[in-house]
Every structure is written in C-alpha cells, then in structure tokens.
Amino acid sequence: MHLNSQAAAAAVRAVLADGAVTCLFQPIVDLDDGRVVAYEALARGPEGPLRAPDALFAAARAAGCLPELDQACRSAALRGAVAAGLLAPLTVFVNVEPDALDEAPLAALFPGVDELPGDLRVVLEITERALAARPAELLRTVARVRERGWAVALDDVGAEQLSLAFMPLLRPDVVKLDLRLVQERPGPAIAEIMNAVNAYAEASGAAVLAEGIEDATHLTMARALGATLGQGWLFGRPGPGAVRGQRTGSLRLPTAQPADGAAGEVSPFACLPETVVVREAPKTLLIELSKQLERQAMRLGETCVVAAAFQEARHVTPSTRQRYRDLVERVGFVCALGEGLPVEPLPGLRGADLAPGDPVRGEWDIVVLSPHFSAALLARDLGDDGPDLERRFAFALTYGRGTVVRAARALMSRVAPSGDAALPTAALPTAPLPAATRLLTGGGSPGDAVLARALAAVDTGVTVVDVRLPDQPLVYVNPAFEQLTGFPAAETLGRNCRFLQCPDTDPAAVARLRAAVTAGEEVREVLLNRRADGSTWWNECHLTPVTDGTGTVVQYIGIQTDVTERVDAERALAAERDRRLRSEARLAELDALLTVPGNGHTSVDSPAARRV
C-alpha cells in the first residue's frame, strides 16, 4: 500500500510520537578469521508502508522532520544494541544523516549518551554528502565523536568520486566500499577507487569494509579490492540481535587520532611546521603560483578538493571568477573564503564571509588535495601600502600531506552550509529572447519555425551561446547535440559549455577558443570532451559569431562534430610512422657498425657481424 504525501507525513509524525522506530543488526566479519567483530544498526519503521527505511526517510524528508527521525533511529540503535548485548569486544556501526549535523553538543545527536555502558563501542557512519553539504558542522561533530573515544567510518565510498577526495579530510577509521564494487564487473572506475582506497588504508592503517557480499564470487572480489572486513547476506541477514553460534572477535582499528577540534580557530598559514622555509614575494608571483595549482586541480578532476582564501571579495576579479567557474565544472569540491563573500559566490562554488578579526582575513591561501596529490600555497600579508599587485607576502609552497590536510581542514571549517535545494545554475533571462534565439527555437515567424525544424533534423550538433548573459550560457541545443553528448537539453541550457571538458582536455586549445570568443572571431578547434556516461570523444568545435544591427557580437553558433574515428586513425598513422622511422634509424646504426671504414666490406670479426 502506498500513501500520498499528506498521509505519509502524518504517518511518519505518528511513528515519531509513538517511538515506533526499531533497529535490526547485520553482522560484520573479519575476512581473515571469519569472526563477527561488529554489527551495523539498520533502522526499520512499524509494520506497514513505512517499514522500509527508504520509504520512512522519504516521508520524513517530505514532512520536514528528517532530523527528528534520524535522532530517533540513532537512539533506537544504541538502546537496541545494549538490549541485545552487543557490547565489547563487539562494535556497533550507527548512521547519521547529513541534515542532522549542527553545532549542538554530542548529547544532542545521541540523547542519553552519558548513561550508556562504557563497554559500548560505536563507529559513526557518515557519507561524503555530509561534508559537501555542511563541512564546518561535520568536522566539529567528528572531533566530538573522537573525543568520546568512538571511531568514524566513511560510507558508500565509490558511489561518488567525491568520497575519494574527502577521505584525507575526514580521516575515517573504516572505509566502507559501495556494494557495486564487489558485485559489478571491474572497470577503470573501480580500478581508480581501489587505487585511492588502498593508498589511504596503507598510509593511515584504516580498515576497509566491503558491503554487499552475497556469494563466494563477491567474497573473492572483496579480498582482491583490499577489504579486511565484510558485510552481506553471505555472513548473515539483518536480525534483532547477535547471530547465534558465531565466533566473535574485536574490531581492529588504527591508533586513535587527535580530535583536532580547533581547526576552525587556526589559519592555514599557522599550520606550517617550523621546518618549512618561509620566503617573501609580491602578490604578482602568488597569482601565478595560484594559477599553476588551479591547473593541477583541473587535471585531477572530480577526486580533487580546492579550498582558497582571497582576503576580501574585491580581490576576486573577473579573471578569477572565470577560472573558478572552470574549476567548479571539473573539480569535485571548490570553496572560496573572503571578507564580503556570500555563501555561493558563483553557481556551485561554496563560500564564506570572513569576519575582520579572523586570522584567515590576512592570508592568501590555496589548497589542492586529492587521493594521490597534495599541495598548498600559504601566504600571510605583510601589510604593505601602495599598488595592490606589489604588496608583499610571507609565503611557503608545501607538498607535505599532513600540512596540506590541516590547512584544508582549517578553511573548510569556516565554509557556510549549503541550502537544501540543489545548487543553482546560471538562470536564463525572463526578458524576450533575442531575435536569433527566437529564430532557432521557432518562436518567430512561420519561416523561423521551418528553420527550427531543419536544425532539429540535422545529424550534427548545433548550439547557440549568448555572450551577453553572465558566464555565456547555452540558450539552444538541437536534438543531435543531446544524442552526441548524452546530456538532455534540460541539463545543458543555462550552463557554460565547459561542462563538456574533462581532465585530459587540452588547456591550450581551450585558451585559444576563449581568446577567439573574447575577440569576436570565428574559430575551430578539436577538443577531448566527455559524455554524460563518462566516456570521452573528440569534438571538432566550429564557433561562428552572430552580430546585431550595430555589428556587436551577441551570440555564437557552434557546430559540434564527433571526429573520434579520424583522430584515432591519425594517431595510429603517426605511431606507425614513428615506429618506421625508429626502425630505419636502427638499421642505419647497424649498417654503420657492420661496415669497415675504408674498404666497404663487412668485417666478419665484428660482434655485430657475428650476431647477424
């Protein structure tokens, strides 16, 4: 039976009022010895349409009482664990929803926590969505959890690339692999996840837990991925308590780490160790160093976090805004801090307004962090007067991972929480569409409609960009463009077409396109682009300016052609040509070795001749 939204909202409120939330517990085993070392608490509603957790949480979200339900689930988990005797040496894994995180004390997240038995061991499970939505609150909550002696697990790693970027920031004691990693056929994405997770586990000592193990094949894959813990129907289904007859053991976790609860009180520059050499430089050099780190972040892509501090909002120039638009499109998480900066300085860019007394207010910082790369430019203003670009800073460029992580945590501990709604894209104007756009969309005369049908019928991608609107968004795409890229028009209109770029897109080609558009010139470039499914293709992009009656460029018409087969053939031909030239050069070298100078005859005594 399905409930309508109004009935579901009333039902979930009744569940909360009656305290009808319960928990089942699924075993987690040590893959080396088969012992049960922990149980995960899984929330359940009362018998009926809200029994399943997805239906229960969806109803709570619609009713606006998600935090209350989440708290009820955590309370039920802890009470149920104590009642079922899931105490040391066993451990209980408990989930927390991102929306439940706030500045309240730990007791607000876990009512009655001080009354719990001392031998109740807890691992708090969180997802990368929590850090992306409320970074400051989550980092403070994690610090409070660690102060109590509990551990932290990062859940669903691999479901989103961003989880890989956030691993070093959260420092989880347990990394939980998304079930698709053990149940699906291996591919490049799974290899990338395995690479990042194993690197983190090796460096930190964290345990790796594979979910969704239902048969021997899944178990083999879990071991191959580096998992030391397993969870799934092969070991037991969720039940009211401990599995009978199972051997138990203790969960092995890395050495307890310091709480680091004061991350929001220190500045990135203060994170520099005394052994790091601090130099002086004018702002002009810092700008170029920042650009270099930004380019590195673009190559790292969706598994990368970028955090920056600009002192004041006025230092975020139009050129800086353009660069950070590109970063937002291609990097997993980007934030920028400065006095006067709003919560969202650009679509998708997280921000924070720095108070005048905040020590970060006097710094120029940029931090780039990914699973296999870390770098930070940390600089402090020396207080010079005079031209802005000549102001001097004390600075250090560091690649020490510990320092970079601390600096990133210091900046993210100041980022304002995002709203509940999805981050907006650049909105289209409500004013009447320009003549060229009306022509293409069929909003004008009958002749315009004929042209619109013709463009819809061609098998080449056609786009229109309005250069007068902020960030030069797409205002028209034809059906062939949707088929070519895999992105429906609803996901492309209003966005700058840079979302098609990938980490391997040639930045020089992009720069040439941008320079031509700025100059109002026609341009043609071949770019590596990505489709909605993540695959790549070579796009021959031909951009032609459209002018109004005064000769001012108002739009660009783009023709997008898939030339992947041509590029692959050209590369194969070039590779074969290089191979032939290398072979000819080697033959020439051998010929010179085999020929005796002066008589033109081959020496039978030479090693080369004997080998021949």
Side-chain angles (χ1 to χ4, degrees):
M1 181 181 70
H2 296 282
L3 301 177
N4 60 41
S5 58
Q6 187 174 3
V12 75
R13 291 192 180 95
V15 168
L16 292 173
D18 297 339
V21 175
T22 58
C23 273
L24 298 179
F25 298 92
Q26 186 173 31
I28 296 171
V29 305
D30 187 315
L31 296 182
D32 290 333
D33 58 22
R35 294 178 182 271
V36 175
V37 295
Y39 284 86
E40 180 179 0
L42 304 171
R44 295 292 186 269
E47 292 296 335
L50 297 184
R51 175 65 175 172
D54 53 351
L56 184 64
F57 275 82
R61 188 174 285 107
C65 56
L66 185 60
E68 292 86 347
L69 174 63
D70 195 59
Q71 185 180 89
C73 291
R74 291 193 300 275
S75 297
L78 297 180
R79 292 196 310 270
V82 173
L86 304 181
L87 305 176
L90 293 171
T91 301
V92 179
F93 282 63
V94 180
N95 291 277
V96 60
E97 277 289 312
D99 293 341
L101 301 173
D102 53 28
E103 299 182 14
L106 186 63
L109 288 175
F110 295 92
V113 66
D114 294 329
E115 301 173 4
L116 295 172
D119 53 353
L120 175 64
R121 298 179 178 178
V122 177
V123 173
L124 185 69
E125 291 191 40
I126 52 182
T127 68
E128 85 286 341
R129 291 186 299 111
L131 187 55
R134 308 173 71 85
E137 289 85 347
L138 178 60
L139 292 175
R140 283 194 290 268
T141 298
V142 167
R144 296 196 299 271
V145 168
R146 293 195 188 282
E147 288 172 354
R148 183 170 180 83
W150 292 354
V152 173
L154 181 58
D155 197 9
D156 297 334
V157 171
E160 297 289 343
Q161 293 278 40
L162 197 55
S163 60
L164 304 181
F166 283 160
M167 275 193 301
L169 289 170
L170 290 172
R171 300 181 301 171
D173 306 284
V174 180
V175 177
K176 297 191 68 175
L177 301 179
D178 186 67
L179 59 85
R180 72 181 180 89
L181 299 183
V182 300
Q183 295 184 355
E184 292 184 1
R185 183 181 179 85
I190 291 179
E192 181 179 17
I193 295 164
M194 177 184 175
N195 197 1
V197 169
N198 279 265
Y200 172 77
E202 182 179 23
S204 66
V208 179
L209 192 163
E211 297 182 289
I213 301 176
E214 299 180 359
D215 54 38
T217 301
H218 295 163
L219 177 59
T220 300
M221 178 59 71
R223 290 182 179 276
L225 290 171
T228 57
L229 302 172
Q231 181 180 359
W233 288 0
L234 182 64
F235 309 115
R237 300 199 177 196
V243 178
R244 294 182 180 275
Q246 288 279 13
R247 295 181 303 153
T248 61
S250 179
L251 179 63
R252 292 172 290 184
L253 296 175
T255 304
Q257 303 185 46
D260 196 17
E265 300 174 8
V266 300
S267 72
F269 190 83
C271 295
L272 288 169
E274 294 182 359
T275 55
V276 172
V277 178
V278 176
R279 301 177 175 86
E280 291 186 9
K283 183 177 177 179
T284 49
L285 177 60
L286 300 188
I287 292 174
E288 295 307 317
L289 292 175
S290 299
K291 290 179 180 178
Q292 175 59 30
L293 289 179
E294 292 163 8
R295 287 191 289 269
Q296 181 66 44
M298 296 274 275
R299 288 190 287 270
L300 295 169
E302 295 180 355
T303 62
C304 181
V305 168
V306 176
F310 292 100
Q311 295 189 294
E312 301 175 37
R314 63 185 178 89
H315 294 145
V316 183
T317 65
S319 174
T320 304
R321 289 179 177 273
Q322 183 63 54
R323 299 200 315 271
Y324 273 74
R325 288 189 184 101
D326 293 343
L327 281 170
V328 166
E329 289 286 352
R330 294 170 62 174
V331 172
F333 181 89
V334 188
C335 65
L337 291 71
E339 184 178 0
L341 279 178
V343 171
E344 191 180 34
L346 297 169
L349 176 64
R350 303 295 299 280
D353 180 9
L354 295 176
D358 193 315
V360 182
R361 167 66 177 76
E363 296 187 8
W364 178 291
D365 304 312
I366 178 168
V367 177
V368 176
L369 184 63
S370 74
H372 307 293
F373 179 84
S374 57
L377 171 64
L378 309 177
R380 177 168 289 168
D381 195 335
L382 294 178
D384 291 346
D385 295 327
D388 181 62
L389 293 179
E390 297 178 10
R391 291 190 297 119
R392 291 178 306 127
F393 288 75
F395 82 98
L397 187 61
T398 179
Y399 299 90
R401 192 163 185 82
T403 302
V404 174
V405 168
R406 287 192 296 273
R409 202 176 286 126
L411 291 174
M412 294 187 67
S413 293
R414 292 167 163 84
V415 174
S418 65
D420 294 332
L423 295 177
T425 56
L428 293 177
T430 56
L433 291 173
T437 306
R438 292 199 307 272
L439 180 76
L440 292 172
T441 56
S445 66
D448 297 342
V450 172
L451 178 57
R453 289 196 297 272
L455 289 175
V458 300
D459 58 2
T460 300
V462 179
T463 60
V464 177
V465 169
D466 196 321
V467 298
R468 298 168 298 178
L469 298 177
D471 203 27
Q472 301 178 352
L474 292 164
V475 295
Y476 172 82
V477 297
N478 72 338
F481 178 84
E482 297 180 81
Q483 296 173 3
L484 186 62
T485 65
F487 289 98
E491 295 182 15
T492 60
L493 296 179
R495 300 175 67 184
N496 185 288
C497 56
R498 72 175 70 86
F499 72 88
L500 292 173
Q501 298 172 19
C502 61
D504 293 326
T505 302
D506 184 4
V510 174
R512 289 192 295 270
L513 278 175
R514 185 175 295 158
V517 171
T518 301
E521 300 171 348
E522 184 176 359
V523 62
R524 186 192 301 267
E525 287 286 347
V526 176
L527 300 168
L528 185 65
N529 281 172
R530 68 177 179 92
R531 294 187 173 91
D533 62 4
S535 62
T536 56
W537 59 290
W538 288 97
N539 176 14
E540 185 175 63
C541 180
H542 184 192
L543 301 181
T544 304
V546 177
T547 59
D548 61 13
T550 66
T552 302
V553 176
V554 294
Q555 293 174 325
Y556 262 87
I557 295 178
I559 305 298
Q560 325 280 338
T561 306
D562 187 347
V563 294
T564 303
E565 292 185 0
R566 189 188 80 192
V567 172
D568 289 345
E570 290 173 349
R571 288 188 164 190
L573 182 62
E576 176 61 25
R577 183 173 60 249
D578 291 342
R579 188 195 65 78
R580 178 175 56 81
L581 292 175
R582 287 196 300 271
S583 298
E584 291 176 353
R586 182 56 180 160
L587 288 173
E589 292 176 1
L590 291 174
D591 186 62
L593 290 173
L594 295 173
T595 303
V596 178
N599 60 15
H601 295 291
T602 300
S603 170
V604 295
D605 296 326
S606 72
R610 288 196 296 271
R611 285 197 297 271
V612 173

